Amino acid sequence: MFDKLFKRKTSEVKRDPAKTDFCYYPFFQVLLSADGKYMPCSHHDNFITENGKEITTAKHTIEDAWNSEYMQTLRNNFKNNIRSKGCNQCWKEQALGLQPMRYDSYGYNIPETQVQHPQSPMRVEINASNVCNLRCRICGPHASSRWIKEGKELYGMDGEIHFNMTAENQAIIRTWVPQFTQIGFFGGEPLMSDENIELMRYCVKTGHAKHISLLINTNTTICSDEIISLFQQFKNVFLNFSIDDIGERFEYQRSGGVWKEVVENLKRYTGVGGYTGDDQIQCKICCSVTAMNIYYFPEYFDFMNEHFEGLPVFWNLVYSPPELSIQVLPQPVKNLIAERLRTKVHTTYEIEERRTKTIENLIAYLNGTNEMTLTDFFKHIERHDKFRLENFAETFPEFYAVLEKYVG
């Protein structure tokens, strides 16, 4: 009797993200990272530890991570309105007046009973491996196998291929499937993973796909009849395409990608999906905003408006590597970009804060400070240009002409 009363009362608790530092993520999800470790969420600064040491897929299961002392401490801190250091990215965005990622956790409608008694996760975020077919400028060997040689030669990074969906993790995740409301597939490139495809097949075969939505970030280089057929059997699919620029600039920033092929795949996916909450497969662009591409947003949006009318763009601010942050730009350049964003970016849909950061949100972050400078940006760019036999000035001539006078 008491238990029923407790459940009724706790389910009625209402939280307001603007009035508290509370975040739901640690109470309903756990993340399997591309480099064989575990995290509470993708924005968290730290990996999950046990006795002060990071736990890995080589020695620990995803269930170990979910039940770890680290996660229990994080949950207790949120219950007691204590800020954990690992959540610094959210606090930084919040201090700038932006809506941090923890706000998104409120959109999952997690019952208070899950906060009080988080027996098993309702959501997992799976980076099955770091196997990828691209070598994006914003990435590294931790999330792309194609980065391993470059990371080792330029920075002495240890790099290896991680296959994180071990037999143990696959078995555990399957036992959690009946409770899942969502599975997130990230990478590496998630649609290259046989383990991800097998998990989707399992969900369909057991009938659980009907109550599970998928969240997938793909580099848009892979598309097949089976993948589309599997998507169509889930409750919803939120399909995010990682496209930061167009044409040669896209190929420079996401090395290995062929722009024409990406456009054709995007047409195919959007042909079976749509752009609204009424569509079973909901498509949008996930654009990583860096000092390389922000100047070209007007041209980027003109292309999307012409070829994919109504397709929304979500903006993901890049913090690492810090040399590529938009905050490294000199203030006069920031002022010029702010003016271009305000006057030249036109969309066929409304940019609203509940869906992505607005133009003014971007400008607010742009005008923030960074420990790096434009000199650091060009040193970073030139280091990788030399290794890749590429040339920033030739690929981004208009923006380079703007920056040239500020290069020390």
Side-chain angles (χ1 to χ4, degrees):
M1 180 67 180
F2 173 79
D3 186 55
K4 291 182 178 179
L5 181 62
F6 172 79
K7 287 183 178 180
R8 185 171 70 251
K9 287 185 176 180
T10 55
S11 67
E12 295 170 356
V13 174
K14 302 293 183 183
R15 300 180 190 271
D16 182 346
K19 297 179 181 179
T20 176
D21 289 335
F22 190 83
C23 176
Y24 281 100
Y25 279 124
F27 298 92
F28 74 93
Q29 77 158 22
V30 63
L31 185 156
L32 179 58
S33 77
D35 47 359
K37 300 175 184 179
Y38 302 97
M39 300 175 72
C41 79
S42 60
H43 238 42
H44 204 71
D45 287 342
N46 305 324
F47 294 107
I48 294 174
T49 61
E50 194 68 43
N51 298 321
K53 294 183 179 180
E54 294 174 352
I55 64 175
T56 67
T57 56
K59 296 182 179 180
H60 301 85
T61 68
I62 194 168
E63 190 169 33
D64 293 333
W66 170 255
N67 293 321
S68 66
E69 181 182 350
Y70 188 96
M71 287 289 281
Q72 292 179 41
T73 299
L74 187 60
R75 292 169 190 142
N76 286 332
N77 282 350
F78 277 121
K79 284 183 178 181
N80 293 293
N81 213 33
I82 298 172
R83 291 188 172 189
S84 297
K85 291 182 179 179
C87 302
N88 284 338
Q89 287 193 33
C90 273
W91 310 138
K92 182 178 179 180
E93 289 186 12
Q94 191 165 306
L96 289 170
L98 307 180
Q99 284 195 6
M101 181 174 159
R102 72 178 184 84
Y103 276 53
D104 296 342
S105 71
Y106 286 71
Y108 288 91
N109 298 315
I110 302 303
E112 192 67 15
T113 50
Q114 179 69 16
V115 173
Q116 300 302 328
H117 301 288
Q119 299 298 319
S120 64
M122 300 170 64
R123 180 183 189 273
V124 288
E125 195 163 304
I126 298 171
N127 293 262
S129 74
N130 61 341
V131 174
C132 190
N133 55 349
L134 301 189
R135 192 162 37 121
C136 304
R137 289 269 178 159
I138 60 173
C139 198
H142 65 288
S144 173
S145 53
R146 292 203 58 201
W147 249 91
I148 292 175
K149 181 179 180 181
E150 188 168 357
K152 184 175 182 179
E153 292 193 18
L154 295 185
Y155 302 102
M157 292 179 176
D158 291 329
E160 59 182 343
I161 295 178
H162 297 277
F163 291 100
N164 308 317
M165 285 285 277
T166 61
E168 293 85 357
N169 277 340
Q170 291 181 61
I172 291 167
I173 289 171
R174 288 190 178 197
T175 68
W176 288 345
V177 162
Q179 286 76 46
F180 281 162
T181 58
Q182 187 176 88
I183 301 172
F185 289 122
F186 299 84
E189 169 49 44
L191 298 182
M192 290 181 66
S193 167
D194 291 337
E195 292 81 7
N196 288 345
I197 302 300
E198 280 298 324
L199 181 56
M200 284 191 280
R201 289 172 182 155
Y202 176 82
C203 292
V204 170
K205 181 180 179 180
T206 57
H208 292 296
K210 296 177 182 179
H211 64 77
I212 297 173
S213 64
L214 301 179
L215 173 62
I216 301 174
N217 276 17
T218 174
N219 60 31
T220 330
T221 63
I222 295 173
C223 186
S224 72
D225 291 341
E226 183 189 15
I227 288 173
I228 289 175
S229 176
L230 286 171
F231 286 172
Q232 290 173 328
Q233 296 177 74
F234 281 81
K235 179 181 178 180
N236 291 106
V237 179
F238 302 98
L239 198 52
N240 298 334
F241 306 104
S242 298
I243 301 174
D244 313 321
D245 217 319
I246 61 174
E248 291 182 358
R249 296 193 303 271
F250 167 85
E251 295 177 349
Y252 177 96
Q253 292 168 73
R254 294 190 177 266
S255 178
V258 178
W259 176 242
K260 288 184 179 180
E261 294 177 2
V262 166
V263 172
E264 288 306 309
N265 286 338
L266 188 57
K267 288 179 180 178
R268 190 173 178 190
Y269 279 125
T270 55
V272 296
Y275 310 151
T276 74
D278 295 328
D279 294 295
Q280 186 261 334
I281 299 177
Q282 298 175 36
C283 302
K284 71 178 179 182
I285 301 287
C286 186
C287 174
S288 295
V289 184
T290 69
M292 294 181 288
N293 63 356
I294 192 169
Y295 176 85
Y296 289 95
F297 270 23
E299 292 84 351
Y300 177 79
F301 273 93
D302 286 347
F303 177 89
M304 294 301 173
N305 293 340
E306 179 181 354
H307 299 280
F308 299 97
E309 183 178 359
L311 179 60
V313 177
F314 172 86
W315 292 324
N316 178 38
L317 297 172
V318 170
Y319 302 94
S320 179
E323 294 92 338
L324 298 183
S325 167
I326 58 178
Q327 294 180 341
V328 306
L329 299 171
Q331 193 59 51
V333 177
K334 292 181 178 181
N335 295 341
L336 171 64
I337 289 174
E339 182 66 16
R340 284 174 62 82
L341 292 174
R342 288 185 174 119
T343 62
K344 296 182 180 297
V345 170
H346 305 290
T347 72
T348 54
Y349 62 94
E350 184 179 357
I351 298 176
E352 50 190 345
E353 200 160 9
R354 69 180 181 86
R355 300 181 72 175
T356 187
K357 295 174 177 64
T358 65
I359 292 292
E360 292 305 319
N361 290 153
L362 279 183
I363 293 171
Y365 184 77
L366 172 68
N367 287 321
T369 58
N370 188 296
E371 67 270 22
M372 297 294 178
T373 66
L374 186 64
T375 300
D376 296 311
F377 168 79
F378 272 111
K379 285 181 179 179
H380 182 88
I381 288 291
E382 290 166 4
R383 182 183 299 121
H384 291 277
D385 275 355
K386 184 177 180 180
F387 183 90
R388 299 179 178 210
L389 303 178
E390 296 177 340
N391 190 299
F392 177 84
E394 292 179 359
T395 309
F396 302 79
E398 303 86 358
F399 191 35
Y400 183 77
V402 172
L403 295 176
E404 195 173 12
K405 67 180 74 173
Y406 301 100
V407 180

